[in-house]
Amino acid sequence: MSAFVDEAGLHVRGGDGGAGAVSFRREAHVPRGGPDGGDGGKGGDVWLVADRNVASLYAFRDHPHRRGGDGAHGRGGARHGAGGADLRVAVPEGTTVKERDGAVVADLVHAGDAWLAARGGRGGRGNARFLTNRRRAPSFAEQGEPGEERWLRTELRLMADVALVGFPNAGKSTLISRVSAAKPKIADYPFTTLEPHLGVVRFDNHEFVIADIPGLIEGAAEGRGLGHQFLRHVERARVLLVLVDLAEAEGRPPEEQERVLLDELGRYRPELLDRLRLTVGTKADVASLPWDGTLVSAVTGQGISTLLGRVATMVDEARAAEPERDSFVLHEPAPEGVRVERDPTGAFLVRGRQAERAVALSDLTRADAQDYMKHRLQRLGVDRALARAGAREGDTVRIGTHEFEYRP
């Protein structure tokens, strides 16, 4: 079974935050010791990191779940819980990360690029944090937040300087095995190659990466066969090497092969036609069709040195034309505010991490906890938001896992 996987689902979840502690000093000669409950530790984040030592998304195929470490709970004596360990998940260079609806959220192109996939939950504050002049003995603490959780779709687009494009059995695998150490399966029938292969080519003082893309067929741009999966790996190539078969058994002229291949590329991504490219006639040693362009035979070595020299020059030109890349910048989303929604039952749902945190207290039956919660929700504008949404006395309001009766 092949170990190359270029699409996979991924479930990420940040670690849960630890709960704050409710504790009071109990020492000899200290009859009224104050609160000393420590804070809970933050849950660990989950990061996706591009790593050039990872070749495919195979690790996610059967085991898609990744989770950060949980934070430890706070303890008495003002002892804070330890934070949960962050999890760094290695993915191949060229990995695109999408939401389940297809929206692209990250593009990890170069080694070291990192994206925060799931935040760990914040640790709850211990009761010592709620000490005020009016609240001398707070009997409540915060619960830890659950970590963020989401399903993602990962797709790999191979990072190569040169992509070999051609119909099945056009000689791509034979050529890459001739010019590099790559050893793809080679046989005299279509679709020998069902997965891309990468090879490193060293020629004179040049070094570049070449990709053997599985053979295209007419209609690939519309997804016929495995068209989209194959074409995706062409997207990042700097140079396109179009191979036309000069020993094509069906007698399709090389000019017609070139036209169809370029048409498929253009319909999939029109910008691919603007890439530097070279069309080469293969199987020159057994050619039965005329061709006035570049000729090679991967079997005998005819034209290989000339071809590599031209390709190396094109790769250098394409690299020089690329703008300098700044260091990877992670764009953090702005903190969300409070919003109110209606559910099918007519209840009002208050959304927002700050509002949910305000009600996530260890004991809401305590009067001081209720007073703190009401004051906090008022400061966040929850009352105004509910009034604007049309809430009336007696309506059901849900915040996080808690349910309340609305009283203006």
Side-chain angles (χ1 to χ4, degrees):
M1 182 177 291
S2 171
F4 183 86
V5 175
D6 56 6
E7 287 185 277
L10 176 61
H11 179 268
V12 291
R13 179 178 175 181
D16 294 337
V22 176
S23 175
F24 296 90
R25 291 178 60 191
R26 292 292 182 264
E27 302 174 19
H29 312 298
V30 184
R32 294 184 179 180
D36 65 354
D39 301 339
K42 177 186 177 300
D45 300 326
V46 179
W47 292 82
L48 302 188
V49 184
D51 187 337
R52 62 169 46 96
N53 295 316
V54 179
S56 82
L57 301 170
Y58 178 76
F60 308 135
R61 187 182 66 178
D62 299 321
H63 305 282
H65 298 277
R66 299 294 186 273
R67 179 174 177 172
D70 292 336
H73 300 318
R75 293 182 292 170
R79 288 172 291 181
H80 302 313
D86 290 347
L87 180 63
R88 297 176 69 83
V89 181
V91 298
E93 293 177 289
T95 296
T96 297
V97 186
K98 297 181 178 181
E99 295 280 12
R100 300 184 73 176
D101 61 3
V104 176
V105 292
D107 208 1
L108 307 177
V109 178
H110 299 87
D113 286 354
W115 177 66
L116 181 58
R119 289 182 177 83
R122 288 179 291 190
R125 293 176 290 176
N127 68 332
R129 297 283 191 177
F130 299 96
L131 176 65
T132 66
N133 288 333
R134 296 181 56 186
R135 192 186 304 117
R136 304 301 299 172
S139 58
F140 62 93
E142 283 180 335
Q143 302 288 356
E145 280 187 335
E148 289 184 337
E149 183 177 9
R150 67 205 301 191
W151 272 100
L152 300 167
R153 189 73 189 168
T154 57
E155 296 180 356
L156 173 60
R157 290 167 171 78
L158 289 179
M159 300 294 296
D161 296 297
V162 181
L164 301 181
V165 179
F167 285 107
N169 208 29
K172 299 181 297 298
S173 298
T174 306
L175 179 60
I176 196 173
S177 67
R178 176 83 187 203
V179 301
S180 74
K183 300 299 179 186
K185 180 181 178 181
I186 300 171
D188 189 21
Y189 56 84
F191 296 107
T192 304
T193 302
L194 293 178
E195 62 185 46
H197 292 92
L198 292 178
V200 178
V201 178
R202 295 179 178 88
F203 180 77
D204 290 341
N205 295 321
H206 301 274
E207 181 176 298
F208 54 90
V209 177
I210 191 168
D212 170 18
I213 307 300
L216 301 182
I217 60 175
E218 289 187 74
E222 283 75 42
R224 185 181 172 197
L226 295 176
H228 284 171
Q229 289 180 251
F230 293 164
L231 283 166
R232 183 170 67 240
H233 296 295
V234 181
E235 291 185 29
R236 301 193 196 276
R238 295 182 171 95
V239 174
L240 304 181
L241 197 57
V242 180
L243 304 187
V244 293
D245 186 354
L246 302 185
E248 218 277 335
E250 297 179 2
R252 177 181 292 185
E255 293 81 6
E256 175 65 11
Q257 296 179 47
E258 180 184 33
R259 184 196 66 77
V260 173
L261 291 169
L262 295 181
D263 182 61
E264 293 297 333
L265 292 175
R267 283 190 289 139
Y268 177 69
R269 288 280 189 276
E271 62 270 20
L272 289 176
L273 299 181
D274 297 328
R275 303 279 172 86
L276 291 175
R277 70 172 183 266
L278 176 64
T279 302
V280 179
T282 63
K283 305 180 184 178
D285 55 315
V286 291
S288 60
L289 300 172
W291 177 248
D292 294 331
T294 303
L295 297 171
V296 297
S297 169
V299 174
T300 66
Q302 176 186 344
I304 295 296
S305 294
T306 301
L307 173 64
L308 293 181
R310 293 187 63 181
V311 171
T313 300
M314 295 171 73
V315 170
D316 289 345
E317 181 182 341
R319 288 173 176 171
E322 291 180 349
E324 290 189 11
R325 177 179 175 271
D326 296 329
S327 59
F328 185 78
V329 178
L330 177 65
H331 296 279
E332 295 282 0
E336 64 173 13
V338 172
R339 66 183 188 278
V340 177
E341 303 171 356
R342 295 290 293 270
D343 73 3
T345 68
F348 291 85
L349 306 180
V350 179
R351 306 288 193 184
R353 294 183 71 184
Q354 292 177 314
E356 293 171 7
R357 188 176 176 85
V359 302
L361 303 179
S362 58
D363 188 356
L364 274 177
T365 64
R366 310 286 300 199
D368 55 351
Q370 293 178 11
D371 289 342
Y372 168 80
M373 179 194 69
K374 292 176 183 178
H375 178 68
R376 182 65 180 149
L377 292 177
Q378 286 176 348
R379 291 187 61 185
L380 292 172
V382 173
D383 288 351
R384 294 192 301 272
L386 285 168
R388 288 196 299 268
R392 297 182 179 180
E393 185 167 357
D395 285 342
T396 299
V397 177
R398 296 193 182 99
I399 308 176
T401 59
H402 297 273
E403 186 172 294
F404 307 92
E405 182 178 298
Y406 179 64
R407 295 181 182 276

